[in-house]
């Protein structure tokens, strides 16, 4: 897969992993890696970027006598997912066109 | 590799990062290991599942916004460029002189930790030789000479402790002074650009 495309998809996957409930680093990796390969060093910059763009926010909770950092999806993050899905509909139309033309030949 | 070994290696690989940033990276890696352990993996398995400390550090450093710098002198106006070129003999000489003075200052200041290290090593040698040789001096030359030899060894040992203390204090001080000055010099001409 093209690296830029993968990067974009990973961002949305991370946001989607937080859509149902707040989550933490390792859980996000487990959820996202079911559909696309992701490592700790890939996740780290994505989380920082999404936090900087206010698509998610963080808080710490004491867990087994240590602090665990949790990530929460914001309204901006939800809009980001919705925008991606809208854009993807347009992309799918183009893909259908390409497939049709290729098979037509 | 144990968790401690992994985190120590990561810490070493990130040694040039400012402490607060290093803490963030460090906590992230530690959390990843400890969450795996809580999920039933052994410590060794949890560490083995992560990328190497070097790869992890590379990702942290590559992503760090402040790694990118932008030249911050206002060179956008033609007049500024002309003035800079015409004034170069003056400001260039002053800049060079300033840098040389700074370098000389660092060389002099660097003598302190260097001297402490050299003193530590040489006094260690003196102390070892004097103390171990004193019984032979007592036996072959005279008892008094042996006692004096032993005293010299003890004195060297005292000096060694002081020199080692001096080295342990002056080396971090010198390192931090060099880094702070380099950062200040860099901020005169370059501006940090945040990636995100």
């Amino acid at each position: 897969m093209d690296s830029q495309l993968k990067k974009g998809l990973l961002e949305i996957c991370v946001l989607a992993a937080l859509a149902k409930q707040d989550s933490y680093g390792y859980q996000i990796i487990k959820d996202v890696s079911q559909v696309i390969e992701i490592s700790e060093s890939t996740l780290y910059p994505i989380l920082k970027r999404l936090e900087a763009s206010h698509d998610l926010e963080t808080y710490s909770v004491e867990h087994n006598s240590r602090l665990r950092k949790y990530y929460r999806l914001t309204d901006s993050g939800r809009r980001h997912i919705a925008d991606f899905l809208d854009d993807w509909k347009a992309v799918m139309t183009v893909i259908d066109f390409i497939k049709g033309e290729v098979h037509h030949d | 590799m144990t968790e401690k070994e992994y985190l120590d290696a990561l810490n070493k690989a990130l040694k040039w990062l400012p402490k607060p940033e290093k803490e963030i990276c460090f906590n992230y890696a530690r959390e990843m290991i400890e969450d795996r352990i809580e999920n039933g993996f052994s410590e060794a398995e949890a560490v083995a599942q992560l990328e190497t400390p070097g790869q992890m550090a590379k990702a942290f450093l590559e992503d760090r916004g402040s790694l990118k710098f932008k030249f911050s002198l206002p060179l956008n106006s033609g007049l500024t460029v002309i003035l800079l070129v015409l004034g170069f003999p003056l400001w260039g000489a002053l800049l060079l002189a300033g840098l040389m003075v700074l370098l000389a200052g660092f060389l002099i200041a660097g003598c302190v930790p260097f001297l402490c290290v050299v003193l530590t090593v040489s006094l260690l040698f003196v102390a070892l030789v004097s103390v171990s040789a004193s019984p032979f001096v007592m036996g072959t030359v005279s008892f008094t000479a042996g006692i004096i030899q032993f005293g010299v060894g003890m004195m060297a040992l005292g000096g060694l402790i002081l020199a080692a203390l001096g080295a342990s204090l002056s080396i971090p001080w010198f390192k931090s002074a060099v880094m702070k000055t380099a950062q200040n010099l860099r901020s005169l001409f370059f501006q940090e650009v945040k990636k995100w």
Side-chain angles (χ1 to χ4, degrees), chain A residues 2 9-10 22 24 29 31 36-37 41 46 50 52 54 63 70-71 85 88 92 94:
Chain A
D2 175 72
L9 285 175
L10 277 173
D22 301 353
Y24 55 93
I29 288 199
D31 292 342
I36 189 167
E37 193 187 338
S41 64
I46 292 174
L50 290 172
H54 306 291
H63 172 82
Y70 275 84
Y71 299 88
L85 291 175
W88 202 249
M92 286 309 287
V94 176

Side-chain angles (χ1 to χ4, degrees), chain B:
Chain B
M1 191 187 261
T2 63
E3 179 182 356
K4 191 182 176 305
E5 285 167 343
Y6 186 92
L7 293 174
D8 283 348
L10 184 66
N11 204 18
K12 208 174 164 187
L14 295 172
K15 65 181 170 188
W16 297 111
L17 273 188
K19 209 176 170 188
E21 282 187 55
K22 195 156 70 175
E23 282 286 303
I24 295 172
C25 305
F26 195 76
N27 288 339
Y28 177 81
R30 185 167 53 198
E31 205 174 295
M32 285 295 174
I33 297 172
E34 287 175 1
D35 280 337
R36 278 182 165 78
I37 294 172
E38 278 177 23
N39 272 259
F41 292 103
S42 69
E43 189 181 337
E45 283 170 337
V47 172
Q49 282 182 12
L50 295 182
E51 290 145 305
T52 64
Q55 285 170 320
M56 193 74 106
K58 190 169 172 263
F60 288 143
L61 291 170
E62 274 179 358
D63 187 65
R64 189 173 173 256
S66 53
L67 276 185
K68 281 182 80 185
F69 292 97
K70 199 178 85 179
F71 198 56
S72 65
L73 282 181
L75 291 178
N76 45 359
S77 119
L79 186 66
T80 318
V81 177
I82 292 169
L83 281 175
L84 274 174
V85 172
L86 289 178
F88 178 74
L90 179 65
W91 69 258
L94 285 175
L95 183 70
L96 190 67
L99 286 175
M100 289 299 120
V101 168
L102 201 66
L103 185 68
F106 276 129
L107 282 175
I108 294 168
C111 286
V112 176
F114 179 73
L115 193 73
C116 287
V117 172
V118 171
L119 267 177
T120 308
V121 175
S122 50
L123 287 174
L124 176 70
F125 180 74
V126 172
L128 280 175
V129 170
S130 293
V131 172
S132 56
S134 58
F136 299 104
V137 176
M138 280 181 208
T140 52
V141 184
S142 73
F143 183 76
T144 319
I147 289 291
I148 291 170
Q149 187 72 51
F150 186 76
V152 168
M154 285 292 114
M155 210 165 70
L157 198 66
L160 154 76
I161 293 167
L162 285 177
L165 195 69
S168 69
L169 291 174
S170 60
I171 291 172
W173 167 81
F174 182 66
K175 192 177 148 191
S176 106
V178 170
M179 284 184 73
K180 271 186 192 156
T181 312
Q183 277 169 1
N184 288 337
L185 277 178
R186 191 179 59 195
S187 65
L188 284 179
F189 301 102
F190 294 94
Q191 200 179 20
E192 287 194 18
V193 179
K194 291 286 173 199
K195 273 185 185 171
W196 355 268

